[in-house]
Amino acid sequence: VEAVLAAAEEQEAEKRRSITVEKELELEYDLGNLLAVDRNPPPAAALREAGPRREALLRALARDNTQLLVSRLWELPAERAGGAGGPLVAQLPEPTFRLPREKPPPKPRPPTRWEQFARLKGIRRKKKTSLPLPWRPCGWRRCWRPPRSRRRRSGGASRWKRSWSWSADPEEDQFARLRREKRERVARNELNRLRNLARAHRAGSAVPAAPLHPTGHQDRDELRRVARVARVSTASLGRFQPRLPKESAEPPSRSGGKKRRFEPLLGNLAAERSRQLELLRDMGSKKPVLDITRAVNKQLRQEEAEAAAANKGKKQSKRGKRGRRQQRPGRSGKKSGARRQPQQQKPAGGGTGG
Amino acid sequence: MDALDRVVKPKTKRAKRFLEKREPKLNENTKNAMLIKGGNANLTVTEVLKDIYAVKKPFAVLYKRKNITRPFEDQTSLEFFSKKSDCSLFLFGSHNKKRPNNLIIGRMFDYHVLDMIELGVEKFVSLKDIKNSKCPEGTKPMLIFAGDMFDVNEEYRRLKNLLIDFFRGPTVPNIRLAGLEYVLHFTAVDGKIYMRSYKVLLKKSGCKIPRIELEEMGPSLDLVMRRTHLASDDLYKLSLKQPKGLKPKKKKNISHDAFGTTYGRIHMQKQDLSKLQTRKMKGLKKRPAEKSAEDAGATPKKLKSA
């Protein structure tokens, strides 16, 4: 009898020390979050009754699940932090459970005007070489310094000595001029920086329509848009407000000039005749219709941009494509703009004449 | 509010750091929770809020005053609070005859309400009522969800997601194995959710992995799900979107197979096989033409050694 009791007691002790847990379905673990999900349906009937039995059942369930989770955590690669005597620290993997973010991911800021220009021209930042400049008797030098003849000490004559040029106005105070120019430069830089910031901020949040009365901070495109809206809205019964001297004669179209407008087929015979004669005249004349200098410049620009894009394309192909893509609307706009002008005047002339 | 929407230009470095902490980032900060009392919050609800605050310290803010708002009707005041205190999780407690002991647990995305779930507290045992030693403040808890309802039912699934988000704590790369002291266990049975918190005692077992014994500690809640206000699918998908920079960069030309062997690939240029260097046999070296006739006799001997 004693042997049986001893065996039973040993079994109890074993159970108490065991770390194995039996489960129908395996748990799902996300060790990065210290998370375990148990899909087994819990014993519903037993848990329905309130009281200490429920607590005991819940606790047993919790104990089993925690045991499984801790076994998994203990299996992770662990090392002793802070030397041999330090605590045992395990390396957690990345959390796999997908949780929504707090804020939307950050948007890259749009390039500034200089950055756009540099990308177009293919200008890249020059990296400072790690090799120092050649050895001089005073030692290796890392950065360029002007030779002794041109070196001037900061506390010396430079404060009151300024170079004089023949083109300078003799009455003007040179020091005041230099100070004023520095102030203007600083102000201009600050203005450009703020404009870049505003552009970035505007690009980030889609800004609604510009206010219709002029604030001091609108740029050219916004003002043009606003002027167009004003021209349409101040009209009544087909009578528009009087035109300013440099404004275009055409009434503002709702599509903003995107749709092509054609002349009616049978209309103004005189206008058609004059147009055909002019065309013949241009074809017959020796003077080239194309403005050579403008065309050459445009071509050079295009080639530069392509070269820059190709160079960048070797490193970052996306940027090159983007640079090329940005080129196209500008290019076609210029061409069509150049062509549109002689045509624009004719229908207006025809409209008012006929 | 217009004052909060205006772009503030920082004038000191401290202000700049403050604003940078609140901007959207690639790797986000740990989510803060705000615990708010409603217009008529009774003792139970206040105790619940205080206990959850103790669990979630220091990533929680407990507002002392009562705020008379109804989150399910009007979310603007919640959004205002969230913007002011930069908290994206909230727990709102209230009590009235129709919904006694009400807790609204929710989260925000971009300072707008994403999900809100209303839970009723049926039974509550607070930290003070259970007299034993507690674990230190700020311990990262282990979270365990039991019950198939958490997968079957859509609302329960969102609730599970919300609870993980709420109680998760900071994401850490390493963890001290002896410091795994706190476990939160959620069981979903019969339309009720039992939340229990236990302190983990690691006992000796025969092998390296310790045996776990649990001791009840901490708040235990019996919850019933009431109303829900879940985000639409596309808004939820938008909030789950991770930026590209977070994806680990794939190393090219390295592959692993099922057995754990790592394979690498080397790309070689085209080789001229006729000029390939095999074993050096001195006898086969090119000699001047005069000696070639002599060596024809000598090579067989050399071959033996090679």
Side-chain angles (χ1 to χ4, degrees):
Chain A
V1 177
E2 276 177 16
V4 172
L5 279 171
E9 241 196 64
E10 233 191 78
Q11 235 187 18
E12 270 292 325
E14 261 307 309
K15 216 164 60 164
R16 250 180 268 133
R17 289 158 123 247
S18 79
I19 55 168
T20 50
V21 175
E22 291 283 322
K23 281 275 179 182
E24 265 179 24
L25 274 171
E26 266 291 310
L27 303 198
E28 283 182 1
Y29 301 98
D30 178 9
L31 297 173
N33 279 324
L34 299 183
L35 172 70
V37 177
D38 180 12
R39 289 239 167 92
N40 299 306
L47 284 172
R48 222 165 278 162
E49 53 178 275
R53 262 208 71 186
R54 179 156 64 180
E55 295 301 316
L57 261 171
L58 284 172
R59 185 197 261 192
L61 184 63
R63 196 219 78 80
D64 289 339
N65 286 334
T66 324
Q67 180 74 66
L68 287 167
L69 180 58
V70 169
S71 326
R72 275 300 179 94
L73 283 168
W74 237 263
E75 280 167 16
L76 287 173
E79 55 178 28
R80 292 222 161 254
L88 197 61
V89 166
Q91 277 152 351
L92 288 178
E94 292 273 334
T96 51
F97 196 81
R98 284 188 83 188
L99 289 164
R101 278 176 71 96
E102 193 179 28
K103 294 172 193 134
K107 279 176 239 171
R109 64 181 172 90
T112 60
R113 272 180 73 88
W114 165 253
E115 281 176 4
Q116 285 171 357
F117 180 74
R119 202 192 298 161
L120 169 60
K121 288 278 183 175
I123 301 171
R124 260 179 282 173
R125 290 202 71 165
K126 212 176 186 181
K127 244 193 160 172
K128 272 195 168 153
T129 52
S130 53
L131 296 173
L133 289 173
W135 194 82
R136 288 283 137 87
C138 46
W140 291 103
R141 278 198 274 139
R142 294 195 131 260
C143 63
W144 184 85
R145 251 185 277 144
R148 186 179 277 246
S149 54
R150 272 217 274 153
R151 237 179 275 158
R152 28 169 231 204
R153 284 165 287 139
S154 57
S158 58
R159 268 220 226 116
W160 50 265
K161 220 182 186 187
R162 290 280 170 202
S163 54
W164 186 79
S165 67
W166 287 102
S167 55
D169 184 9
E171 306 294 317
E172 198 185 3
D173 181 6
Q174 295 302 314
F175 297 98
R177 179 182 63 96
L178 288 168
R179 262 182 283 136
R180 187 193 49 204
E181 283 183 352
K182 179 160 174 94
R183 240 181 293 138
E184 283 171 4
R185 262 181 285 137
V186 166
R188 197 185 332 131
N189 277 327
E190 183 65 22
L191 178 68
N192 282 332
R193 185 182 77 90
L194 288 177
R195 255 203 239 145
N196 278 331
L197 273 182
R199 207 174 292 126
H201 186 68
R202 233 187 305 138
S205 58
V207 155
L212 289 174
H213 20 265
T215 66
H217 314 292
Q218 284 162 312
D219 59 347
R220 222 187 313 164
D221 315 303
E222 274 190 56
L223 284 173
R224 211 182 290 152
R225 244 184 284 145
V226 170
R228 199 188 328 135
V229 172
R231 278 224 337 237
V232 174
S233 42
T234 52
S236 152
L237 294 181
R239 293 179 64 192
F240 290 84
Q241 66 188 14
R243 212 185 348 129
L244 292 173
K246 288 203 177 163
E247 254 186 322
S248 61
E250 219 182 63
S253 58
R254 247 187 256 159
S255 58
K258 287 183 205 144
K259 264 199 161 165
R260 281 182 73 180
R261 285 249 168 110
F262 297 100
E263 293 295 307
L265 279 177
L266 304 169
N268 201 342
L269 282 175
E272 196 179 334
R273 187 160 160 254
S274 55
R275 214 184 319 135
Q276 299 283 7
L277 284 176
E278 261 210 50
L279 184 67
L280 283 172
R281 192 172 16 108
D282 282 336
M283 281 165 58
S285 78
K286 303 263 177 59
K287 214 169 32 168
V289 187
L290 194 64
D291 186 359
I292 297 277
T293 45
R294 263 188 92 180
V296 166
N297 283 337
K298 210 183 287 172
Q299 181 68 19
L300 281 174
R301 258 238 162 156
Q302 190 187 330
E303 279 175 359
E304 260 177 16
E306 278 175 3
N311 273 336
K312 274 247 169 117
K314 284 177 194 159
K315 293 187 181 175
Q316 303 154 315
S317 57
K318 274 190 198 168
R319 202 71 66 87
K321 275 190 214 148
R322 226 190 287 153
R324 252 179 268 142
R325 232 187 282 142
Q326 272 179 3
Q327 280 299 299
R328 259 185 248 128
R331 254 195 292 141
S332 58
K334 272 190 223 159
K335 267 194 208 153
S336 56
R339 249 190 278 125
R340 218 189 282 150
Q341 259 190 352
Q343 273 182 23
Q344 236 183 26
Q345 289 165 4
K346 271 171 209 138
T352 50
Chain B
M1 266 197 61
D2 188 53
L4 286 172
D5 290 334
R6 212 180 292 148
V7 173
V8 179
K9 214 170 65 136
K11 293 204 174 77
T12 55
K13 281 225 170 85
R14 186 160 174 242
K16 192 170 169 205
R17 268 181 273 138
F18 177 82
L19 285 177
E20 273 178 6
K21 197 166 125 201
R22 295 196 170 191
E23 322 184 299
K25 295 180 213 161
L26 269 187
N27 290 316
E28 298 196 306
N29 310 330
T30 318
K31 290 194 185 182
N32 280 334
M34 47 188 186
L35 309 166
I36 314 175
K37 289 199 281 187
N40 42 4
N42 59 355
L43 188 65
T44 323
V45 157
T46 328
E47 291 286 309
V48 170
L49 288 175
K50 268 204 241 171
D51 278 357
I52 304 269
Y53 176 63
V55 168
K56 269 231 42 144
K57 268 206 256 198
F59 298 105
V61 181
L62 177 66
Y63 285 120
K64 273 186 164 172
R65 292 221 202 113
K66 293 192 179 178
N67 294 289
I68 307 177
T69 40
R70 298 211 174 98
F72 270 87
E73 274 91 48
D74 175 32
Q75 285 134 24
T76 45
S77 69
L78 276 178
E79 294 179 358
F80 171 71
F81 280 135
S82 136
K83 234 188 192 168
K84 265 284 186 177
S85 59
D86 192 31
C87 292
S88 48
L89 301 163
F90 66 89
L91 189 60
F92 182 88
S94 67
H95 172 86
N96 50 17
K97 213 157 128 191
K98 192 167 170 199
R99 291 174 233 274
N101 297 333
N102 210 12
L103 278 179
I104 302 179
I105 184 168
R107 63 185 155 196
M108 310 273 202
F109 176 66
D110 199 17
Y111 303 126
H112 295 293
V113 167
L114 182 67
D115 288 333
M116 269 198 300
I117 298 182
E118 196 175 48
L119 302 159
V121 179
E122 302 210 321
K123 195 176 80 125
F124 171 61
V125 181
S126 101
L127 278 167
K128 305 199 296 262
D129 296 339
I130 305 177
K131 304 209 183 347
N132 60 355
S133 63
K134 318 279 181 203
C135 64
E137 187 182 283
T139 328
K140 192 166 154 91
M142 293 190 274
L143 300 162
I144 304 181
F145 288 82
D148 48 350
M149 271 241 268
F150 277 125
D151 285 305
V152 165
N153 196 333
E154 173 65 39
E155 297 187 341
Y156 276 79
R157 232 182 298 159
R158 279 292 179 89
L159 178 65
K160 179 174 99 175
N161 200 306
L162 229 183
L163 289 169
I164 296 172
D165 216 357
F166 202 90
F167 289 109
R168 182 163 73 133
T171 311
V172 285
N174 302 316
I175 193 160
R176 192 171 138 251
L177 289 172
L180 293 167
E181 289 176 338
Y182 193 39
V183 70
L184 285 169
H185 186 92
F186 298 88
T187 321
V189 163
D190 263 355
K192 289 207 195 168
I193 301 159
Y194 301 106
M195 171 181 145
R196 300 280 180 272
S197 339
Y198 300 102
K199 185 170 149 101
V200 174
L201 305 163
L202 306 162
K203 294 273 162 70
K204 259 202 213 254
S205 77
C207 54
K208 202 171 58 153
I209 300 173
R211 182 174 161 83
I212 301 287
E213 290 296 335
L214 296 180
E215 199 187 322
E216 171 111 26
M217 141 238 184
S220 82
L221 295 162
D222 288 359
L223 302 164
V224 160
M225 182 127 78
R226 289 180 188 156
R227 295 183 286 180
T228 58
H229 176 279
L230 303 177
S232 59
D233 271 338
D234 39 327
L235 182 60
Y236 193 63
K237 268 202 199 135
L238 186 67
S239 68
L240 283 175
K241 224 178 182 185
Q242 305 288 347
K244 266 200 205 156
L246 280 182
K247 258 200 288 188
K249 272 206 163 158
K250 217 176 165 209
K251 271 195 160 172
K252 279 178 144 182
N253 298 322
I254 296 179
S255 61
H256 304 267
D257 76 345
F259 299 107
T261 327
T262 315
Y263 291 100
R265 249 186 174 187
I266 308 174
H267 297 268
M268 295 283 300
Q269 279 134 0
K270 196 151 186 198
Q271 289 177 304
D272 187 7
L273 292 169
S274 61
K275 292 209 166 64
L276 206 62
Q277 179 90 333
T278 46
R279 272 205 216 144
K280 287 194 181 154
M281 289 188 212
K282 233 170 159 190
L284 298 174
K285 241 204 276 186
K286 276 209 175 106
R287 290 217 185 147
E290 312 141 291
K291 289 190 183 168
S292 59
E294 267 185 319
D295 291 331
T299 36
K301 259 202 201 158
K302 294 275 161 93
L303 274 173
K304 229 211 296 183
S305 62

Short mmCIF file of all heavy atoms in Angstrom, two decimals, chain A residues 107-139:
data_model
loop_
_atom_site.label_atom_id
_atom_site.label_comp_id
_atom_site.label_asym_id
_atom_site.label_seq_id
_atom_site.Cartn_x
_atom_site.Cartn_y
_atom_site.Cartn_z
N LYS A 107 4.69 61.95 -45.90
CA LYS A 107 4.82 62.14 -47.34
C LYS A 107 6.15 62.82 -47.61
O LYS A 107 6.54 63.73 -46.88
CB LYS A 107 3.69 63.02 -47.85
CG LYS A 107 2.42 62.23 -48.05
CD LYS A 107 1.32 63.15 -48.45
CE LYS A 107 0.28 62.99 -47.39
NZ LYS A 107 -0.79 63.81 -47.33
N PRO A 108 6.84 62.42 -48.67
CA PRO A 108 8.12 63.10 -48.97
C PRO A 108 7.85 64.53 -49.42
O PRO A 108 6.87 64.79 -50.11
CB PRO A 108 8.70 62.27 -50.10
CG PRO A 108 7.53 61.58 -50.71
CD PRO A 108 6.52 61.40 -49.65
N ARG A 109 8.69 65.44 -48.99
CA ARG A 109 8.40 66.83 -49.34
C ARG A 109 8.76 67.09 -50.80
O ARG A 109 9.71 66.53 -51.32
CB ARG A 109 9.15 67.78 -48.40
CG ARG A 109 10.60 67.66 -48.55
CD ARG A 109 11.35 68.58 -47.61
NE ARG A 109 12.75 68.25 -47.69
CZ ARG A 109 13.59 68.81 -48.55
NH1 ARG A 109 13.19 69.73 -49.35
NH2 ARG A 109 14.83 68.43 -48.59
N PRO A 110 8.01 67.96 -51.48
CA PRO A 110 8.29 68.20 -52.90
C PRO A 110 9.61 68.95 -53.06
O PRO A 110 10.03 69.68 -52.15
CB PRO A 110 7.11 69.07 -53.34
CG PRO A 110 6.61 69.68 -52.10
CD PRO A 110 6.88 68.74 -50.99
N PRO A 111 10.28 68.79 -54.19
CA PRO A 111 11.61 69.41 -54.34
C PRO A 111 11.49 70.92 -54.44
O PRO A 111 10.51 71.46 -54.95
CB PRO A 111 12.14 68.83 -55.64
CG PRO A 111 10.94 68.37 -56.37
CD PRO A 111 9.92 68.00 -55.36
N THR A 112 12.49 71.62 -53.94
CA THR A 112 12.49 73.08 -53.99
C THR A 112 12.84 73.52 -55.41
O THR A 112 13.23 72.71 -56.26
CB THR A 112 13.51 73.65 -53.02
OG1 THR A 112 14.79 73.16 -53.42
CG2 THR A 112 13.22 73.21 -51.62
N ARG A 113 12.76 74.81 -55.67
CA ARG A 113 13.04 75.31 -57.02
C ARG A 113 14.47 75.01 -57.43
O ARG A 113 14.74 74.65 -58.56
CB ARG A 113 12.76 76.81 -57.09
CG ARG A 113 11.33 77.11 -57.44
CD ARG A 113 11.08 78.58 -57.49
NE ARG A 113 11.66 79.22 -58.66
CZ ARG A 113 11.06 79.32 -59.83
NH1 ARG A 113 9.85 78.83 -59.99
NH2 ARG A 113 11.64 79.92 -60.83
N TRP A 114 15.40 75.14 -56.47
CA TRP A 114 16.80 74.85 -56.81
C TRP A 114 16.96 73.37 -57.14
O TRP A 114 17.66 72.99 -58.05
CB TRP A 114 17.73 75.24 -55.67
CG TRP A 114 19.07 74.64 -55.84
CD1 TRP A 114 19.61 73.63 -55.13
CD2 TRP A 114 20.04 74.97 -56.85
NE1 TRP A 114 20.84 73.31 -55.61
CE2 TRP A 114 21.15 74.12 -56.66
CE3 TRP A 114 20.08 75.91 -57.88
CZ2 TRP A 114 22.26 74.18 -57.46
CZ3 TRP A 114 21.20 75.97 -58.68
CH2 TRP A 114 22.27 75.10 -58.46
N GLU A 115 16.31 72.52 -56.35
CA GLU A 115 16.43 71.08 -56.57
C GLU A 115 15.88 70.69 -57.93
O GLU A 115 16.46 69.85 -58.63
CB GLU A 115 15.70 70.32 -55.47
CG GLU A 115 16.51 70.25 -54.19
CD GLU A 115 15.75 69.59 -53.07
OE1 GLU A 115 14.62 69.11 -53.30
OE2 GLU A 115 16.30 69.55 -51.97
N GLN A 116 14.78 71.33 -58.35
CA GLN A 116 14.23 71.04 -59.68
C GLN A 116 15.21 71.45 -60.75
O GLN A 116 15.47 70.72 -61.70
CB GLN A 116 12.93 71.79 -59.89
CG GLN A 116 11.77 71.20 -59.14
CD GLN A 116 10.58 72.12 -59.21
OE1 GLN A 116 10.65 73.22 -59.77
NE2 GLN A 116 9.48 71.69 -58.67
N PHE A 117 15.78 72.66 -60.60
CA PHE A 117 16.72 73.17 -61.59
C PHE A 117 17.96 72.28 -61.65
O PHE A 117 18.44 71.94 -62.73
CB PHE A 117 17.11 74.59 -61.20
CG PHE A 117 18.07 75.23 -62.13
CD1 PHE A 117 17.67 75.66 -63.38
CD2 PHE A 117 19.40 75.39 -61.77
CE1 PHE A 117 18.57 76.25 -64.24
CE2 PHE A 117 20.29 75.98 -62.62
CZ PHE A 117 19.88 76.41 -63.87
N ALA A 118 18.45 71.87 -60.48
CA ALA A 118 19.65 71.04 -60.45
C ALA A 118 19.40 69.70 -61.12
O ALA A 118 20.25 69.17 -61.83
CB ALA A 118 20.09 70.84 -59.01
N ARG A 119 18.19 69.17 -60.90
CA ARG A 119 17.88 67.90 -61.53
C ARG A 119 17.81 68.05 -63.03
O ARG A 119 18.28 67.20 -63.79
CB ARG A 119 16.53 67.40 -61.02
CG ARG A 119 16.39 65.91 -61.18
CD ARG A 119 14.99 65.49 -60.95
NE ARG A 119 14.59 65.80 -59.59
CZ ARG A 119 13.32 65.87 -59.21
NH1 ARG A 119 12.38 65.68 -60.08
NH2 ARG A 119 13.02 66.14 -57.97
N LEU A 120 17.26 69.18 -63.48
CA LEU A 120 17.13 69.43 -64.91
C LEU A 120 18.50 69.56 -65.57
O LEU A 120 18.76 69.01 -66.62
CB LEU A 120 16.31 70.72 -65.07
CG LEU A 120 16.23 71.37 -66.43
CD1 LEU A 120 15.62 70.41 -67.40
CD2 LEU A 120 15.38 72.60 -66.34
N LYS A 121 19.39 70.31 -64.90
CA LYS A 121 20.70 70.55 -65.49
C LYS A 121 21.69 69.44 -65.21
O LYS A 121 22.76 69.42 -65.78
CB LYS A 121 21.28 71.85 -64.90
CG LYS A 121 20.60 73.09 -65.40
CD LYS A 121 21.16 73.46 -66.74
CE LYS A 121 20.54 74.75 -67.20
NZ LYS A 121 21.12 75.22 -68.45
N GLY A 122 21.33 68.55 -64.31
CA GLY A 122 22.25 67.47 -64.00
C GLY A 122 23.34 67.87 -63.02
O GLY A 122 24.40 67.29 -62.99
N ILE A 123 23.08 68.89 -62.23
CA ILE A 123 24.07 69.32 -61.24
C ILE A 123 23.94 68.42 -60.03
O ILE A 123 22.86 68.22 -59.51
CB ILE A 123 23.79 70.78 -60.82
CG1 ILE A 123 23.84 71.69 -62.03
CG2 ILE A 123 24.80 71.22 -59.79
CD1 ILE A 123 23.37 73.09 -61.74
N ARG A 124 25.07 67.92 -59.59
CA ARG A 124 25.04 67.07 -58.40
C ARG A 124 25.98 67.62 -57.36
O ARG A 124 26.94 68.32 -57.68
CB ARG A 124 25.42 65.64 -58.76
CG ARG A 124 24.19 64.77 -58.91
CD ARG A 124 24.54 63.39 -59.29
NE ARG A 124 24.86 63.30 -60.70
CZ ARG A 124 25.34 62.20 -61.26
NH1 ARG A 124 25.58 61.16 -60.53
NH2 ARG A 124 25.58 62.16 -62.54
N ARG A 125 25.71 67.25 -56.12
CA ARG A 125 26.53 67.80 -55.02
C ARG A 125 27.92 67.20 -55.08
O ARG A 125 28.06 66.00 -55.21
CB ARG A 125 25.88 67.45 -53.69
CG ARG A 125 24.60 68.19 -53.47
CD ARG A 125 24.32 68.23 -52.01
NE ARG A 125 25.25 69.12 -51.34
CZ ARG A 125 25.06 69.57 -50.11
NH1 ARG A 125 24.01 69.20 -49.44
NH2 ARG A 125 25.92 70.35 -49.54
N LYS A 126 28.90 68.07 -54.94
CA LYS A 126 30.28 67.58 -55.01
C LYS A 126 30.65 67.03 -53.65
O LYS A 126 30.53 67.72 -52.64
CB LYS A 126 31.19 68.76 -55.36
CG LYS A 126 32.38 68.38 -56.18
CD LYS A 126 33.14 69.64 -56.56
CE LYS A 126 34.27 69.34 -57.50
NZ LYS A 126 35.02 70.55 -57.84
N LYS A 127 31.12 65.80 -53.65
CA LYS A 127 31.48 65.19 -52.38
C LYS A 127 32.88 65.64 -51.98
O LYS A 127 33.78 65.67 -52.78
CB LYS A 127 31.46 63.68 -52.53
CG LYS A 127 30.41 63.03 -51.68
CD LYS A 127 30.61 61.55 -51.59
CE LYS A 127 29.88 61.04 -50.37
NZ LYS A 127 29.86 59.62 -50.32
N LYS A 128 33.03 65.94 -50.72
CA LYS A 128 34.36 66.36 -50.24
C LYS A 128 35.25 65.13 -50.22
O LYS A 128 34.94 64.14 -49.61
CB LYS A 128 34.23 66.93 -48.83
CG LYS A 128 33.93 68.37 -48.81
CD LYS A 128 34.17 68.96 -47.44
CE LYS A 128 34.13 70.47 -47.53
NZ LYS A 128 33.75 71.08 -46.29
N THR A 129 36.41 65.25 -50.87
CA THR A 129 37.29 64.08 -50.92
C THR A 129 37.91 63.87 -49.55
O THR A 129 38.20 64.80 -48.82
CB THR A 129 38.42 64.31 -51.93
OG1 THR A 129 39.03 65.56 -51.62
CG2 THR A 129 37.89 64.34 -53.34
N SER A 130 38.10 62.61 -49.25
CA SER A 130 38.71 62.33 -47.95
C SER A 130 40.22 62.53 -47.99
O SER A 130 40.86 62.69 -46.97
CB SER A 130 38.39 60.89 -47.55
OG SER A 130 38.78 60.04 -48.61
N LEU A 131 40.78 62.50 -49.22
CA LEU A 131 42.23 62.70 -49.30
C LEU A 131 42.56 64.17 -49.08
O LEU A 131 41.93 65.04 -49.66
CB LEU A 131 42.74 62.30 -50.68
CG LEU A 131 42.58 60.83 -51.05
CD1 LEU A 131 42.97 60.64 -52.49
CD2 LEU A 131 43.46 59.99 -50.15
N PRO A 132 43.51 64.44 -48.27
CA PRO A 132 43.85 65.85 -48.03
C PRO A 132 44.64 66.41 -49.21
O PRO A 132 45.10 65.69 -50.07
CB PRO A 132 44.70 65.79 -46.77
CG PRO A 132 45.27 64.43 -46.79
CD PRO A 132 44.30 63.55 -47.49
N LEU A 133 44.76 67.69 -49.23
CA LEU A 133 45.53 68.36 -50.27
C LEU A 133 47.02 68.09 -50.05
O LEU A 133 47.41 67.63 -48.97
CB LEU A 133 45.23 69.86 -50.21
CG LEU A 133 43.82 70.19 -50.69
CD1 LEU A 133 43.55 71.64 -50.44
CD2 LEU A 133 43.67 69.89 -52.17
N PRO A 134 47.80 68.34 -51.07
CA PRO A 134 49.21 67.92 -50.98
C PRO A 134 49.96 68.49 -49.78
O PRO A 134 49.55 69.49 -49.19
CB PRO A 134 49.81 68.44 -52.29
CG PRO A 134 48.85 69.39 -52.82
CD PRO A 134 47.51 68.93 -52.37
N TRP A 135 51.02 67.80 -49.49
CA TRP A 135 51.79 68.12 -48.29
C TRP A 135 52.51 69.43 -48.47
O TRP A 135 53.09 69.73 -49.49
CB TRP A 135 52.79 66.99 -48.04
CG TRP A 135 53.37 67.05 -46.67
CD1 TRP A 135 52.82 66.60 -45.53
CD2 TRP A 135 54.62 67.63 -46.32
NE1 TRP A 135 53.64 66.81 -44.48
CE2 TRP A 135 54.75 67.46 -44.92
CE3 TRP A 135 55.64 68.27 -47.04
CZ2 TRP A 135 55.86 67.90 -44.22
CZ3 TRP A 135 56.74 68.71 -46.34
CH2 TRP A 135 56.84 68.53 -44.95
N ARG A 136 52.41 70.24 -47.49
CA ARG A 136 53.14 71.52 -47.47
C ARG A 136 54.09 71.47 -46.28
O ARG A 136 53.90 70.65 -45.39
CB ARG A 136 52.16 72.68 -47.28
CG ARG A 136 51.31 72.99 -48.47
CD ARG A 136 52.12 73.75 -49.52
NE ARG A 136 51.85 73.23 -50.84
CZ ARG A 136 50.85 73.66 -51.61
NH1 ARG A 136 50.05 74.61 -51.19
NH2 ARG A 136 50.66 73.13 -52.79
N PRO A 137 55.07 72.37 -46.23
CA PRO A 137 55.99 72.36 -45.08
C PRO A 137 55.25 72.47 -43.74
O PRO A 137 55.73 72.00 -42.72
CB PRO A 137 56.88 73.58 -45.31
CG PRO A 137 56.86 73.76 -46.78
CD PRO A 137 55.53 73.31 -47.25
N CYS A 138 54.05 73.07 -43.74
CA CYS A 138 53.34 73.17 -42.45
C CYS A 138 52.53 71.92 -42.15
O CYS A 138 51.92 71.83 -41.11
CB CYS A 138 52.44 74.41 -42.45
SG CYS A 138 51.47 74.58 -43.93
N GLY A 139 52.52 70.97 -43.10
CA GLY A 139 51.80 69.73 -42.81
C GLY A 139 50.72 69.46 -43.84
O GLY A 139 50.56 70.20 -44.81
#
